Structure formats: structure tokens, C-alpha cells
Amino acid sequence: MGLLTTAAFVSLAAWLWLTLAQGMFWRTDVRLPPRTAPAHWPSVAIVVPARDEAEVLPRSLPSLIAQDYPGEAEVILVDDGSRDGTAALALRLAREHPGLPLTVVSPGDPEPGWTGKLWALRHGIALARTAHATEPDFLLLTDADIAHEPDSLRELVCAATTAGLDLVSLMARLRVASMWERLVVPAFVYFFAQLYPFRRINRPTGRTAAAAGGCVLLRTEAAVRAGVPESIRQAVIDDVSLARAVQRSGGRIWLGLAERVDSVRPYPALKDLWRMVSRSAYAQLRHQPLLLAGTVAGLVLVYLVPPAALFAGLATGRPAAAWAGGLAWLLMAGTYLPMLRYYRQPAALAPLLPFTALLYLLMTVDSAFLHYRGRGAAWKGRTYARPSDA
């Protein structure tokens, strides 16, 4: 058996295992669990870290102020050193869209060892806990580019109180308008679910932990028990770190796909999506060259070998390689179809997943390259060192 045929069968075995034994990661029916309204609605503070978000704030902040929530709630926007008038715009939007009360604070530049977002969250959470006679029961941590339907907060709280959850997170539906967004964005969520299968995360005794930072409802007492955000202050991938901290401290976590929580941030060009992925991809690999090499090898074997084996096998008369490669590619495309349907994209994009995986491979390598040039984890004018160097 030649090298190509062997690689094709190994890839096929990998896809059989992923399809059948990786927590059914490819299914997109993990939505908010069954829920009922609580007898007493808990208080909630909505904390929004924002840095240079004037472009998206008019489409997101009014949706938070307009939350139809029966209990006590407020919005705290933390202006993280914006240079585009984010704070002033937020106050103007609050005047134009009456609803939940809005407070805008500016904590200044982050101290050494803190990422900007977590520094902003630290001050927003501290203000929420001290501004009133009693602490809020829950904190809704949501990004400035996330728009919520009017019942979003109510449904999140119902899910948390009904199931006794300490953290409920929804992966907001990202924008898919441009050609590159259609090609890259559904795959981004597909790859995330492959790494962190939602069903495993949601098991009461599960060890897999992850969250989606755009929308996280967190019990205040769970945040205190886990010591967040101080305990994860250096984390670039803060959502996964937050979920792990809550889980380690004994909290129950849940993650699923959103129906009516949407990201309004545009990524119209490939360079925009490239920047989104490359700024944190190497941090996901803990800045370890061996993990990078293993990831590259894995992406090649799992995503690139199947089409290569199919075409090369057909061209050179090796039916075993062609058969194994074609079946692996079919499994790959088949498991991708539910995510494409969730994003309302045509099934014709499914066979293109190997090309998208190649893009992600190059983005990951570029992320490592930027890190070693001192430009890794760069976002809106800031560059963060890896935790051991911070």
C-alpha cells in the first residue's frame, strides 16, 4: 500500500471517528434548554466592554437598552480607551432610545498583565457589584458588536434559573454577507464546535469547557467563586478561559447556538477575516511550536488529503486511494451541511471546506509568525505578550 493510499485510509478513519465519536459536534440543534419563568426575576447587570466601536454601536447598544426584562436590570458600557467617540455616542444613543438605564465609565489603560477586554470587564463588574445596596444576581457579559432581540436577556435568565446553571453562553450568529464571509464564517463555528463539542460542554459531569465571549450570562456568585476576571486577566482567548475557571470552581456551564443574538460586525474582505483568526490562533495553541506542527499536520491529513487522494487516485489508477479519499471528503461535506443550513448558505459550499481549511492553516501559521515578530495577539492598536512573558 503506497503512502497516498495509507494517508487516505488514515484520513477516512479520522472522519469516521469525528462523525461518530466527537460529541456529534456537527449537529446544530443545541439551543437554549427547556425553561420556565422564575417566581422572582433576579437582578442583572449588562456589562459591555467597548474599544473604538462607533461603527457598530448604533446597531447593538439600542438592542440592549430595549431589553424587555421583568426584573431589575441596567447596562454598563466600559469605554476601553476609544479614540472614535464611542463613549459620547453611547450616551447619545441612550437619550434617543429610552429603556434600561445606561452608565458609561472609562477605566483608563490596562495595567501590565491585563488584556484590554478583561481590564474593562474588571471595572464594569466591580461597578455593578458596588453601585447599589445589593449585588446583581447575574452579569450579562456581551460584546459591543452583538445585537440582542428584546427577549434575549429574559430567555437567558430563564434557562439559567430553570436548569441551575452558573454560566449560559450563546454563540452569536456571525454576519455572512460578503463572499469571503460565506466561505469562512460558517467554517469558523464548525471548527470551534469540532474542538469544543457543545454536548460535551453541557454535560453536568463533563470536563470540556468553553464559552462564546459575545454573549455570556454569569451568576455573580460564580464569578466571585472563580475569581474572574482577575484569575484569567492575561487570557487572549478569554471566553474559553472564563468557562474553564467557572467549571474548575464547581460551576455548571452551558453553551449553544443562538437564534436571535447576532454579531453586526462586518468582515467584508479576506484580510479582515484573516486578522480575526490570526490574532489569536497561536494563543489557542499555547504558543507551542510542537502544537503548531501537530495542528498543521492534522489539518493536512484530515482536510487536504481526501480531495488530493481522490483526484490523484483517479489520475494514477489507484482505486483504493480514490475510494478512501472520496468517502472521507463525503463525510467532511456531510457533517458541514448542518452548519451551512444554520447560516442559510447553499449546500454547494460544502465541498469547498478543504479550501477553507487551507486558509485556516495559513492563518494559523501566520499567527505564529506574527507572534515571533512581536506582533502576535494584536487588536485595535494593542499587542499582548504570551502569559509567561507578560
Side-chain angles (χ1 to χ4, degrees), residues 295-297 299-300 304 356-366:
T295 298
V296 170
L299 286 170
V300 170
L304 304 188
T356 306
L358 175 61
L359 290 178
Y360 274 90
L361 186 157
L362 296 174
M363 293 172 189
T364 302
V365 171
D366 185 52

Side-chain angles (χ1 to χ4, degrees), residues 255-311:
L255 172 64
L257 293 171
E259 280 290 352
R260 305 170 73 202
V261 177
D262 300 290
S263 172
V264 297
R265 188 182 303 282
Y267 294 98
L270 177 59
K271 65 178 181 180
D272 304 307
L273 291 157
W274 194 289
R275 190 180 305 115
M276 177 190 74
V277 175
S278 65
R279 71 184 179 93
S280 60
Y282 198 40
Q284 179 71 50
L285 301 176
R286 301 196 293 276
H287 305 101
Q288 296 293 325
L290 287 178
L291 286 178
L292 173 66
T295 298
V296 170
L299 286 170
V300 170
L301 178 65
V302 174
Y303 288 99
L304 304 188
V305 163
L310 173 62
F311 293 127

Side-chain angles (χ1 to χ4, degrees), residues 1 14 117 119 161 186 263 270 338 348 359:
M1 186 181 293
K117 179 179 177 180
W119 178 253
T161 55
S263 172
L270 177 59
L359 290 178

Side-chain angles (χ1 to χ4, degrees), residues 240-251:
V240 174
S241 299
L242 171 63
R244 287 173 177 167
V246 171
Q247 188 187 71
R248 282 196 302 265
S249 65

Side-chain angles (χ1 to χ4, degrees), residues 42 63 103 106 109 129 145 157-158 179 182 196 226 242-243 257 265 279 281 296 303 309 328 347 358:
S63 74
T103 302
S106 300
D109 291 334
R129 295 182 60 198
D145 63 339
V157 169
C158 287
M179 177 193 75
R182 292 189 177 97
Y196 305 104
L242 171 63
L257 293 171
R265 188 182 303 282
R279 71 184 179 93
V296 170
Y303 288 99
L358 175 61

Side-chain angles (χ1 to χ4, degrees), residues 2-286:
L3 180 61
L4 179 65
T5 304
T6 300
F9 273 96
V10 172
S11 182
L12 175 58
W15 274 108
L16 287 170
W17 180 84
L18 286 169
T19 303
L20 302 175
Q22 185 59 358
M24 292 188 288
F25 76 93
W26 42 271
R27 293 184 59 171
T28 56
D29 57 351
V30 182
R31 311 298 168 88
L32 281 176
R35 53 207 178 274
T36 58
H40 171 73
W41 288 93
S43 57
V44 183
I46 304 172
V47 182
V48 186
R51 178 173 171 82
D52 293 336
E53 299 288 11
E55 178 185 5
V56 297
L57 214 58
R59 287 171 286 167
S60 60
L61 185 59
S63 74
L64 292 173
I65 296 172
Q67 284 301 296
D68 178 19
Y69 185 67
E72 181 182 347
E74 64 175 333
V75 182
I76 300 173
L77 185 137
V78 187
D79 178 30
D80 179 23
S82 298
R83 297 156 294 183
D84 65 350
T86 289
L89 175 60
L91 292 171
R92 179 169 63 82
L93 290 170
R95 291 192 298 268
E96 295 173 355
H97 301 273
L100 298 184
L102 171 71
T103 302
V104 177
V105 294
S106 300
D109 291 334
E111 292 179 355
W114 284 83
T115 64
K117 179 179 177 180
L118 290 172
W119 178 253
L121 286 177
R122 177 197 185 193
H123 284 267
I125 292 172
L127 178 60
R129 295 182 60 198
T130 59
H132 306 288
T134 58
E135 294 184 344
D137 299 301
F138 283 92
L139 303 161
L140 176 59
L141 313 179
T142 184
D143 288 347
D145 63 339
I146 304 298
H148 295 251
E149 291 295 326
D151 62 349
S152 175
L153 178 58
R154 187 170 67 243
E155 295 301 316
L156 286 166
V157 169
C158 287
T161 55
T162 301
L165 298 168
D166 295 289
L167 182 153
V168 179
S169 181
L170 289 175
M171 178 161 283
R173 201 190 300 260
L174 305 177
R175 197 189 90 138
V176 282
S178 71
M179 177 193 75
W180 288 109
E181 286 170 336
R182 292 189 177 97
L183 187 66
V184 174
V185 166
F188 177 84
V189 183
Y190 174 86
F191 294 146
F192 183 93
Q194 195 175 81
L195 286 173
Y196 305 104
F198 294 169
R199 281 176 170 76
R200 291 185 180 175
I201 292 169
N202 299 341
R203 293 174 186 167
T205 58
R207 296 184 178 182
T208 305
C215 178
V216 177
L217 182 74
L218 177 64
R219 286 186 191 268
T220 304
E221 63 178 348
V224 174
R225 188 171 61 243
V228 294
E230 286 79 6
S231 62
I232 59 169
R233 61 186 179 275
Q234 299 179 16
V236 174
I237 307 175
D238 51 85
D239 43 13
V240 174
S241 299
L242 171 63
R244 287 173 177 167
V246 171
Q247 188 187 71
R248 282 196 302 265
S249 65
R252 282 196 59 194
I253 64 174
W254 187 94
L255 172 64
L257 293 171
E259 280 290 352
R260 305 170 73 202
V261 177
D262 300 290
S263 172
V264 297
R265 188 182 303 282
Y267 294 98
L270 177 59
K271 65 178 181 180
D272 304 307
L273 291 157
W274 194 289
R275 190 180 305 115
M276 177 190 74
V277 175
S278 65
R279 71 184 179 93
S280 60
Y282 198 40
Q284 179 71 50
L285 301 176
R286 301 196 293 276

